[in-house]
Amino acid sequence: MNLRRRVPDTWRRAWRELLAYARRTVEDGLVVGTSGNLSVRVPGAVLVTPSGVPYDLLGPRDLLAVDLEGNRITGPRPPTSELPMHLAVYRATDAAHAIVHTHAVHATAVSTLVDELPVIHYMTAALGGPVRVAPYARYGSDTLADHALAALRDRSGCLLRNHGTLVHGRDLRQAYDNTAQLEWMCRLWLAASSVPGQHPSLLSPGDLADVASHLRDYGKG
């Protein structure tokens, strides 16, 4: 299947940005090889990374667009196998305009240990509250998409058991930054909880609510 069509300039700009962030996931150690995937919502479509292709080999001609039902609009390559999970989030959450999915090592390790990441740091509030762990299901399955949606209820990020992370945001920058924060918080909790005979202090719901009220104005003005 080789779909070619004239694509809007807005799609081309969004594709360049998508590839830049995809390459950062490798450079920053959030994925290995082709293990992660990203997408961004544009007018009339969703741009998504293709399946099984190293990000440094992708270019303008590989622009891949699908509709919200997963039908390919344009692009020479098949989409990521995790497309059902991406589209489920977009269909369910108007606030989601970009998604980053990684196999970050510390986050994946935490996903095997707990049902919810302990509230070790106030940046938990940036993700909407304590980060849940979605039950395991095979990659690319509708079951995994359903589990992820449940874990994302009132949240913008979750862990996928024995798998990795899923974070959405208002744009790629926010989705990526919060993905990096989530991996850092998982690393922090693993480090603190590994000290023999000690237990990390955790933040309360009141602490998080206080931080959330301040984060609404963070970076403005």
mmCIF file of all heavy atoms in Angstrom, residues 107-118 130-136 144 147-148 150-152 155 157-164 182 186:
data_model
loop_
_atom_site.group_PDB
_atom_site.id
_atom_site.type_symbol
_atom_site.label_atom_id
_atom_site.label_comp_id
_atom_site.label_asym_id
_atom_site.label_seq_id
_atom_site.Cartn_x
_atom_site.Cartn_y
_atom_site.Cartn_z
ATOM 1 N N ALA A 107 10.900 3.469 34.800
ATOM 2 C CA ALA A 107 9.438 3.428 34.836
ATOM 3 C C ALA A 107 8.933 2.005 34.618
ATOM 4 O O ALA A 107 7.978 1.566 35.278
ATOM 5 C CB ALA A 107 8.868 4.371 33.781
ATOM 6 N N THR A 108 9.550 1.295 33.696
ATOM 7 C CA THR A 108 9.128 -0.079 33.451
ATOM 8 C C THR A 108 9.408 -0.949 34.667
ATOM 9 O O THR A 108 8.596 -1.817 35.028
ATOM 10 C CB THR A 108 9.833 -0.641 32.208
ATOM 11 O OG1 THR A 108 9.583 0.220 31.090
ATOM 12 C CG2 THR A 108 9.306 -2.031 31.871
ATOM 13 N N ALA A 109 10.546 -0.718 35.323
ATOM 14 C CA ALA A 109 10.851 -1.466 36.547
ATOM 15 C C ALA A 109 9.792 -1.210 37.616
ATOM 16 O O ALA A 109 9.301 -2.155 38.262
ATOM 17 C CB ALA A 109 12.235 -1.076 37.064
ATOM 18 N N VAL A 110 9.420 0.050 37.805
ATOM 19 C CA VAL A 110 8.399 0.381 38.800
ATOM 20 C C VAL A 110 7.070 -0.281 38.459
ATOM 21 O O VAL A 110 6.334 -0.732 39.349
ATOM 22 C CB VAL A 110 8.248 1.909 38.922
ATOM 23 C CG1 VAL A 110 7.019 2.271 39.753
ATOM 24 C CG2 VAL A 110 9.498 2.517 39.551
ATOM 25 N N SER A 111 6.757 -0.361 37.175
ATOM 26 C CA SER A 111 5.477 -0.953 36.758
ATOM 27 C C SER A 111 5.345 -2.402 37.185
ATOM 28 O O SER A 111 4.226 -2.931 37.267
ATOM 29 C CB SER A 111 5.307 -0.839 35.241
ATOM 30 O OG SER A 111 6.038 -1.844 34.549
ATOM 31 N N THR A 112 6.475 -3.068 37.466
ATOM 32 C CA THR A 112 6.438 -4.473 37.888
ATOM 33 C C THR A 112 6.331 -4.627 39.401
ATOM 34 O O THR A 112 6.180 -5.752 39.894
ATOM 35 C CB THR A 112 7.704 -5.216 37.413
ATOM 36 O OG1 THR A 112 8.842 -4.755 38.151
ATOM 37 C CG2 THR A 112 7.949 -5.010 35.925
ATOM 38 N N LEU A 113 6.409 -3.516 40.130
ATOM 39 C CA LEU A 113 6.495 -3.574 41.587
ATOM 40 C C LEU A 113 5.242 -3.088 42.310
ATOM 41 O O LEU A 113 4.952 -3.559 43.419
ATOM 42 C CB LEU A 113 7.695 -2.746 42.071
ATOM 43 C CG LEU A 113 9.077 -3.197 41.596
ATOM 44 C CD1 LEU A 113 10.128 -2.164 41.994
ATOM 45 C CD2 LEU A 113 9.418 -4.566 42.153
ATOM 46 N N VAL A 114 4.539 -2.107 41.754
ATOM 47 C CA VAL A 114 3.434 -1.463 42.466
ATOM 48 C C VAL A 114 2.248 -1.264 41.521
ATOM 49 O O VAL A 114 2.375 -1.391 40.304
ATOM 50 C CB VAL A 114 3.861 -0.085 43.036
ATOM 51 C CG1 VAL A 114 4.936 -0.253 44.096
ATOM 52 C CG2 VAL A 114 4.349 0.838 41.919
ATOM 53 N N ASP A 115 1.103 -0.944 42.102
ATOM 54 C CA ASP A 115 -0.087 -0.630 41.305
ATOM 55 C C ASP A 115 -0.232 0.867 41.069
ATOM 56 O O ASP A 115 -1.075 1.290 40.269
ATOM 57 C CB ASP A 115 -1.352 -1.144 41.999
ATOM 58 C CG ASP A 115 -1.387 -2.665 42.063
ATOM 59 O OD1 ASP A 115 -0.888 -3.307 41.115
ATOM 60 O OD2 ASP A 115 -1.903 -3.201 43.055
ATOM 61 N N GLU A 116 0.570 1.641 41.785
ATOM 62 C CA GLU A 116 0.539 3.099 41.658
ATOM 63 C C GLU A 116 1.893 3.625 42.118
ATOM 64 O O GLU A 116 2.403 3.176 43.154
ATOM 65 C CB GLU A 116 -0.588 3.672 42.516
ATOM 66 C CG GLU A 116 -0.784 5.160 42.412
ATOM 67 C CD GLU A 116 -1.961 5.626 43.269
ATOM 68 O OE1 GLU A 116 -3.108 5.571 42.786
ATOM 69 O OE2 GLU A 116 -1.724 6.007 44.439
ATOM 70 N N LEU A 117 2.474 4.525 41.359
ATOM 71 C CA LEU A 117 3.757 5.104 41.756
ATOM 72 C C LEU A 117 3.579 5.906 43.035
ATOM 73 O O LEU A 117 2.789 6.855 43.072
ATOM 74 C CB LEU A 117 4.285 6.014 40.641
ATOM 75 C CG LEU A 117 5.555 6.812 40.959
ATOM 76 C CD1 LEU A 117 6.726 5.876 41.222
ATOM 77 C CD2 LEU A 117 5.877 7.779 39.824
ATOM 78 N N PRO A 118 4.271 5.551 44.127
ATOM 79 C CA PRO A 118 4.168 6.330 45.357
ATOM 80 C C PRO A 118 4.500 7.802 45.101
ATOM 81 O O PRO A 118 5.355 8.121 44.271
ATOM 82 C CB PRO A 118 5.208 5.666 46.276
ATOM 83 C CG PRO A 118 5.254 4.253 45.791
ATOM 84 C CD PRO A 118 5.129 4.356 44.295
ATOM 85 N N PRO A 130 -1.587 10.903 41.528
ATOM 86 C CA PRO A 130 -0.788 9.673 41.590
ATOM 87 C C PRO A 130 -0.886 8.862 40.299
ATOM 88 O O PRO A 130 -1.972 8.645 39.767
ATOM 89 C CB PRO A 130 -1.405 8.927 42.781
ATOM 90 C CG PRO A 130 -1.927 10.029 43.665
ATOM 91 C CD PRO A 130 -2.443 11.075 42.717
ATOM 92 N N VAL A 131 0.251 8.415 39.814
ATOM 93 C CA VAL A 131 0.325 7.743 38.516
ATOM 94 C C VAL A 131 0.002 6.259 38.689
ATOM 95 O O VAL A 131 0.697 5.534 39.397
ATOM 96 C CB VAL A 131 1.730 7.917 37.902
ATOM 97 C CG1 VAL A 131 1.835 7.177 36.578
ATOM 98 C CG2 VAL A 131 2.019 9.403 37.699
ATOM 99 N N ARG A 132 -1.070 5.824 38.021
ATOM 100 C CA ARG A 132 -1.517 4.438 38.126
ATOM 101 C C ARG A 132 -0.740 3.532 37.168
ATOM 102 O O ARG A 132 -0.182 3.985 36.178
ATOM 103 C CB ARG A 132 -3.008 4.342 37.804
ATOM 104 C CG ARG A 132 -3.901 5.285 38.620
ATOM 105 C CD ARG A 132 -5.353 5.102 38.236
ATOM 106 N NE ARG A 132 -6.217 6.085 38.893
ATOM 107 C CZ ARG A 132 -6.726 7.164 38.298
ATOM 108 N NH1 ARG A 132 -6.465 7.391 37.000
ATOM 109 N NH2 ARG A 132 -7.481 8.006 38.954
ATOM 110 N N VAL A 133 -0.784 2.240 37.476
ATOM 111 C CA VAL A 133 -0.191 1.226 36.613
ATOM 112 C C VAL A 133 -1.316 0.446 35.944
ATOM 113 O O VAL A 133 -2.141 -0.177 36.627
ATOM 114 C CB VAL A 133 0.716 0.265 37.405
ATOM 115 C CG1 VAL A 133 1.301 -0.797 36.477
ATOM 116 C CG2 VAL A 133 1.830 1.034 38.108
ATOM 117 N N ALA A 134 -1.371 0.482 34.617
ATOM 118 C CA ALA A 134 -2.375 -0.273 33.871
ATOM 119 C C ALA A 134 -1.998 -1.750 33.869
ATOM 120 O O ALA A 134 -0.820 -2.089 33.703
ATOM 121 C CB ALA A 134 -2.459 0.248 32.443
ATOM 122 N N PRO A 135 -2.961 -2.659 34.058
ATOM 123 C CA PRO A 135 -2.644 -4.093 34.021
ATOM 124 C C PRO A 135 -1.999 -4.498 32.701
ATOM 125 O O PRO A 135 -2.225 -3.869 31.662
ATOM 126 C CB PRO A 135 -4.023 -4.756 34.187
ATOM 127 C CG PRO A 135 -4.874 -3.722 34.851
ATOM 128 C CD PRO A 135 -4.385 -2.403 34.329
ATOM 129 N N TYR A 136 -1.227 -5.569 32.766
ATOM 130 C CA TYR A 136 -0.542 -6.037 31.563
ATOM 131 C C TYR A 136 -1.532 -6.562 30.521
ATOM 132 O O TYR A 136 -2.522 -7.227 30.848
ATOM 133 C CB TYR A 136 0.449 -7.145 31.891
ATOM 134 C CG TYR A 136 1.093 -7.706 30.646
ATOM 135 C CD1 TYR A 136 2.146 -7.032 30.032
ATOM 136 C CD2 TYR A 136 0.601 -8.865 30.050
ATOM 137 C CE1 TYR A 136 2.717 -7.516 28.866
ATOM 138 C CE2 TYR A 136 1.168 -9.356 28.883
ATOM 139 C CZ TYR A 136 2.211 -8.675 28.287
ATOM 140 O OH TYR A 136 2.758 -9.147 27.129
ATOM 141 N N LEU A 144 -5.085 -3.736 25.857
ATOM 142 C CA LEU A 144 -4.101 -2.794 26.399
ATOM 143 C C LEU A 144 -4.623 -1.370 26.306
ATOM 144 O O LEU A 144 -4.476 -0.579 27.249
ATOM 145 C CB LEU A 144 -2.778 -2.916 25.655
ATOM 146 C CG LEU A 144 -1.680 -1.936 26.092
ATOM 147 C CD1 LEU A 144 -1.351 -2.115 27.571
ATOM 148 C CD2 LEU A 144 -0.430 -2.106 25.237
ATOM 149 N N HIS A 147 -7.109 -0.863 29.090
ATOM 150 C CA HIS A 147 -6.445 -0.749 30.395
ATOM 151 C C HIS A 147 -5.779 0.628 30.543
ATOM 152 O O HIS A 147 -5.818 1.236 31.619
ATOM 153 C CB HIS A 147 -5.377 -1.839 30.541
ATOM 154 C CG HIS A 147 -5.921 -3.216 30.728
ATOM 155 N ND1 HIS A 147 -7.201 -3.465 31.183
ATOM 156 C CD2 HIS A 147 -5.344 -4.441 30.531
ATOM 157 C CE1 HIS A 147 -7.393 -4.768 31.263
ATOM 158 N NE2 HIS A 147 -6.296 -5.385 30.881
ATOM 159 N N ALA A 148 -5.158 1.100 29.468
ATOM 160 C CA ALA A 148 -4.489 2.404 29.523
ATOM 161 C C ALA A 148 -5.499 3.521 29.766
ATOM 162 O O ALA A 148 -5.242 4.432 30.565
ATOM 163 C CB ALA A 148 -3.717 2.650 28.234
ATOM 164 N N ALA A 150 -8.331 3.379 31.311
ATOM 165 C CA ALA A 150 -8.770 3.344 32.714
ATOM 166 C C ALA A 150 -7.710 3.951 33.632
ATOM 167 O O ALA A 150 -8.030 4.715 34.555
ATOM 168 C CB ALA A 150 -9.078 1.903 33.127
ATOM 169 N N ALA A 151 -6.452 3.642 33.385
ATOM 170 C CA ALA A 151 -5.372 4.184 34.214
ATOM 171 C C ALA A 151 -5.208 5.688 34.017
ATOM 172 O O ALA A 151 -4.719 6.389 34.922
ATOM 173 C CB ALA A 151 -4.066 3.462 33.909
ATOM 174 N N LEU A 152 -5.597 6.194 32.854
ATOM 175 C CA LEU A 152 -5.453 7.617 32.547
ATOM 176 C C LEU A 152 -6.639 8.453 33.017
ATOM 177 O O LEU A 152 -6.624 9.678 32.823
ATOM 178 C CB LEU A 152 -5.289 7.807 31.036
ATOM 179 C CG LEU A 152 -3.927 7.447 30.442
ATOM 180 C CD1 LEU A 152 -4.002 7.461 28.924
ATOM 181 C CD2 LEU A 152 -2.846 8.408 30.937
ATOM 182 N N ARG A 155 -6.021 11.717 34.580
ATOM 183 C CA ARG A 155 -4.562 11.807 34.568
ATOM 184 C C ARG A 155 -4.092 12.060 33.137
ATOM 185 O O ARG A 155 -4.804 11.786 32.176
ATOM 186 C CB ARG A 155 -3.919 10.504 35.061
ATOM 187 C CG ARG A 155 -4.374 10.038 36.434
ATOM 188 C CD ARG A 155 -3.757 10.876 37.537
ATOM 189 N NE ARG A 155 -4.034 10.310 38.842
ATOM 190 C CZ ARG A 155 -5.098 10.613 39.592
ATOM 191 N NH1 ARG A 155 -5.997 11.495 39.135
ATOM 192 N NH2 ARG A 155 -5.276 10.063 40.780
ATOM 193 N N GLY A 157 -0.906 10.824 32.427
ATOM 194 C CA GLY A 157 0.145 9.836 32.261
ATOM 195 C C GLY A 157 -0.121 8.605 33.093
ATOM 196 O O GLY A 157 -0.813 8.659 34.120
ATOM 197 N N CYS A 158 0.402 7.468 32.623
ATOM 198 C CA CYS A 158 0.282 6.225 33.380
ATOM 199 C C CYS A 158 1.473 5.340 33.061
ATOM 200 O O CYS A 158 2.238 5.593 32.124
ATOM 201 C CB CYS A 158 -1.026 5.497 33.061
ATOM 202 S SG CYS A 158 -1.111 4.775 31.402
ATOM 203 N N LEU A 159 1.631 4.305 33.867
ATOM 204 C CA LEU A 159 2.591 3.250 33.595
ATOM 205 C C LEU A 159 1.834 2.051 33.028
ATOM 206 O O LEU A 159 0.674 1.819 33.393
ATOM 207 C CB LEU A 159 3.332 2.840 34.860
ATOM 208 C CG LEU A 159 4.134 3.933 35.575
ATOM 209 C CD1 LEU A 159 4.788 3.363 36.834
ATOM 210 C CD2 LEU A 159 5.178 4.531 34.664
ATOM 211 N N LEU A 160 2.484 1.307 32.160
ATOM 212 C CA LEU A 160 1.924 0.081 31.582
ATOM 213 C C LEU A 160 2.730 -1.086 32.144
ATOM 214 O O LEU A 160 3.949 -1.140 31.961
ATOM 215 C CB LEU A 160 2.029 0.115 30.058
ATOM 216 C CG LEU A 160 1.450 1.351 29.362
ATOM 217 C CD1 LEU A 160 1.792 1.316 27.872
ATOM 218 C CD2 LEU A 160 -0.060 1.431 29.568
ATOM 219 N N ARG A 161 2.059 -1.979 32.845
ATOM 220 C CA ARG A 161 2.771 -3.041 33.558
ATOM 221 C C ARG A 161 3.645 -3.875 32.634
ATOM 222 O O ARG A 161 3.209 -4.303 31.567
ATOM 223 C CB ARG A 161 1.773 -3.936 34.293
ATOM 224 C CG ARG A 161 2.391 -5.139 34.986
ATOM 225 C CD ARG A 161 1.618 -5.540 36.211
ATOM 226 N NE ARG A 161 1.839 -4.595 37.302
ATOM 227 C CZ ARG A 161 0.899 -4.244 38.188
ATOM 228 N NH1 ARG A 161 -0.316 -4.743 38.099
ATOM 229 N NH2 ARG A 161 1.193 -3.391 39.157
ATOM 230 N N ASN A 162 4.904 -4.071 33.066
ATOM 231 C CA ASN A 162 5.883 -4.847 32.296
ATOM 232 C C ASN A 162 6.037 -4.333 30.874
ATOM 233 O O ASN A 162 6.337 -5.105 29.957
ATOM 234 C CB ASN A 162 5.483 -6.336 32.259
ATOM 235 C CG ASN A 162 5.463 -6.975 33.629
ATOM 236 O OD1 ASN A 162 4.430 -6.968 34.291
ATOM 237 N ND2 ASN A 162 6.590 -7.523 34.045
ATOM 238 N N HIS A 163 5.891 -3.009 30.705
ATOM 239 C CA HIS A 163 5.882 -2.473 29.342
ATOM 240 C C HIS A 163 6.531 -1.094 29.254
ATOM 241 O O HIS A 163 7.520 -0.924 28.558
ATOM 242 C CB HIS A 163 4.429 -2.427 28.843
ATOM 243 C CG HIS A 163 4.282 -2.079 27.399
ATOM 244 N ND1 HIS A 163 3.196 -2.491 26.648
ATOM 245 C CD2 HIS A 163 5.042 -1.337 26.566
ATOM 246 C CE1 HIS A 163 3.334 -2.042 25.409
ATOM 247 N NE2 HIS A 163 4.441 -1.323 25.345
ATOM 248 N N GLY A 164 5.985 -0.081 29.943
ATOM 249 C CA GLY A 164 6.574 1.249 29.811
ATOM 250 C C GLY A 164 5.668 2.358 30.277
ATOM 251 O O GLY A 164 4.918 2.205 31.252
ATOM 252 N N LEU A 182 8.266 11.725 34.543
ATOM 253 C CA LEU A 182 7.762 10.459 35.084
ATOM 254 C C LEU A 182 8.896 9.449 35.239
ATOM 255 O O LEU A 182 9.008 8.772 36.263
ATOM 256 C CB LEU A 182 6.670 9.907 34.165
ATOM 257 C CG LEU A 182 6.078 8.545 34.545
ATOM 258 C CD1 LEU A 182 5.545 8.540 35.965
ATOM 259 C CD2 LEU A 182 4.961 8.179 33.551
ATOM 260 N N CYS A 186 10.259 7.861 38.831
ATOM 261 C CA CYS A 186 10.401 6.425 39.050
ATOM 262 C C CYS A 186 11.820 6.090 39.498
ATOM 263 O O CYS A 186 12.019 5.271 40.406
ATOM 264 C CB CYS A 186 10.057 5.666 37.769
ATOM 265 S SG CYS A 186 8.287 5.656 37.362
#
